[in-house]
Amino acid sequence: MKNSRIIFAVALAAMTMASCQKQEPASESQNLKSVEIKISNVFPGTKAIGGLDYDLEGKNIQLNSLQFFFSDGTTFYEAKDASGAKADVYFDSNELAAMNGNISAKFHFLPSAVKKVIAVGNYTEQAATNEAALNRILEIDGYQDVTNFPLYSEGALTVYKSDDHNTGNNAHLSNVYSVNLDILPHVARFEITGIGATVPTGSQKIIKVVSMAFADFYNNCDFRTHALSTLRSIDLTNQQTIYSYFQNQMSTAKWNNDFFNGQNGQPNAGNSHPVIELTAQNAFVKTDIAYNFFCKGAEAPTLVLNVIEYENQAALAENNGTPGYLYTNSYKLNSGETVTTFDQGKIYRMDIRFTEDNLKHQERCLDITLNVAKWVVVNVTPEF
């Protein structure tokens, strides 16, 4: 997986810097640090959002703004430019775009107390004076825009070389520090590329896909620690609970469920899609649906599918069918290996395929085979 990586080179002044002393009291000019920051594997700009996004595959995380903080573990310290003036540590989209992919910055005169660098991306400029001021809880309902994920990363400084600075009266030998930061979104992305059923050749049966939803996912994620909280779940062992969920809790306005009612394109249709009626002749229909979920080694959210089985076209016309539901038992790679953990920054791409026989079982469980994109895409397959 290709992560957004930020590489910092930090120079610690080991000798007296004469020109600095003109602007700083002597007691403050000892062991000041200069910071050279280079950012790679992120890209500025905007992209369309929606369902499947094959353009994300293999791409870096989008960076629309970036702000740096220099911390001793608790308190933030001000950085300066080479002249000793207060440095600008916030870069907006225009400033990032002007760098033409070579995103870099230099900061000087940082106190020796600075031990780590914090990078915050895709946020308005923060007037924070300490780490606690950056604390916040993210909610998954508002975290579906792939073009503007709030980003956070931090890392401690480590010495990696010495650097001889020969700049006139400010000549000095410095220890250079570095910290590598992996910037990832807090989410994994689930993309549904199609829904299909195996109906025996010659059968007149029709399986109508009514709706689809995800359950058993975390509602909240800590911005800094990525800790997950507030599990939103339903009792999948109770059929009445499942039916009640589909009948009473589903809504076209909710991001985590979708309807195949043919109302797509109409006013206030929300998450509506074309009708899906699976037959022996039309056994698979492509879809364009995607969801983001907070994941950090956690089990995957459960996909639940609501269907109605009709014996023939006449039964369909009379709406005389047998309702049923299926839910994921597991997700598997194309190799057959079961996916046990789901990682942020990965796209889990899947077709939902089931057999007519799956609908005859009380539990109606699914195993899904996945395919993981970059970002990183993982192709997975759900099995019933």
Side-chain angles (χ1 to χ4, degrees), residues 14-314:
M15 298 177 64
T16 301
M17 295 182 286
S19 64
C20 295
Q21 291 177 349
K22 296 177 182 178
Q23 301 171 15
E24 302 285 340
S27 60
E28 296 181 9
S29 65
Q30 302 299 317
N31 297 327
L32 296 178
K33 297 179 179 179
S34 297
V35 184
E36 298 177 358
I37 304 176
K38 295 182 180 180
I39 306 173
S40 58
N41 299 330
V42 291
F43 74 94
T46 58
K47 286 169 43 52
I49 64 172
L52 305 184
D53 197 337
Y54 285 91
D55 287 338
L56 286 179
E57 186 168 350
K59 297 295 181 65
N60 303 312
I61 308 305
Q62 182 164 324
L63 188 65
N64 304 314
S65 67
L66 180 65
Q67 186 171 2
F68 296 108
F69 300 91
F70 306 93
S71 174
D72 62 4
T74 302
T75 303
F76 293 151
Y77 293 86
E78 182 180 280
K80 298 182 180 181
D81 62 21
S83 70
K86 182 180 179 180
D88 183 6
V89 296
Y90 180 82
F91 301 86
D92 62 22
S93 58
N94 292 329
E95 292 171 313
L96 293 173
M99 296 179 185
N100 295 319
N102 183 26
I103 302 175
S104 61
K106 295 183 179 181
F107 302 98
H108 304 273
F109 305 109
L110 286 162
S112 60
V114 172
K115 303 300 181 185
K116 67 178 178 179
V117 176
I118 294 174
V120 173
N122 299 345
Y123 256 107
T124 56
E125 187 169 4
Q126 306 293 301
T129 59
N130 54 61
E131 293 190 14
L134 296 180
N135 292 344
R136 65 204 63 195
I137 300 296
L138 305 175
E139 294 187 3
I140 194 60
D141 294 27
Y143 211 86
Q144 299 301 309
D145 183 355
V146 297
T147 70
N148 201 35
F149 288 135
L151 303 172
Y152 179 94
S153 189
E154 64 175 51
L157 306 182
T158 57
V159 177
Y160 81 100
K161 70 173 185 178
S162 294
D163 191 12
D164 187 11
H165 292 270
N166 295 305
T167 54
N169 294 331
N170 195 22
H172 59 277
L173 181 68
S174 300
N175 288 327
V176 179
Y177 295 73
S178 69
V179 55
N180 293 335
L181 301 180
D182 290 330
I183 293 187
L184 293 172
H186 296 69
V187 297
R189 186 168 175 84
F190 280 47
E191 295 186 346
I192 313 301
T193 54
I195 301 176
T198 302
V199 181
T201 302
S203 172
Q204 298 184 47
K205 289 189 174 180
I206 302 158
I207 300 174
K208 184 175 183 177
V209 180
V210 179
S211 56
M212 175 176 66
F214 274 91
D216 296 336
F217 58 88
Y218 286 94
N219 190 69
N220 302 111
C221 179
D222 188 282
F223 179 55
R224 297 181 60 208
T225 68
H226 292 225
L228 307 180
S229 59
T230 316
L231 184 66
R232 288 164 61 172
S233 63
I234 56 177
D235 184 3
L236 295 172
T237 63
N238 187 322
Q239 287 197 16
Q240 186 57 46
T241 300
I242 297 291
Y243 287 126
S244 176
Y245 180 85
F246 277 112
Q247 293 168 7
N248 303 317
Q249 298 184 48
M250 297 277 285
S251 166
T252 56
K254 292 184 177 180
W255 65 269
N256 66 306
N257 53 212
D258 288 85
F259 295 82
F260 303 95
N261 52 18
Q263 297 179 11
N264 48 300
Q266 299 181 19
N268 302 315
N271 297 329
S272 296
H273 304 273
V275 171
I276 294 181
E277 295 176 353
L278 304 173
T279 65
Q281 296 76 31
N282 184 40
F284 182 80
V285 175
K286 291 184 178 180
T287 58
D288 182 13
I289 304 171
Y291 314 83
N292 299 325
F293 295 101
F294 291 136
C295 291
K296 191 181 181 183
E299 293 183 358
T302 301
L303 184 153
V304 187
L305 202 64
N306 183 22
V307 301
I308 301 176
E309 186 177 19
Y310 299 93
E311 289 299 319
N312 48 46
Q313 283 289 343

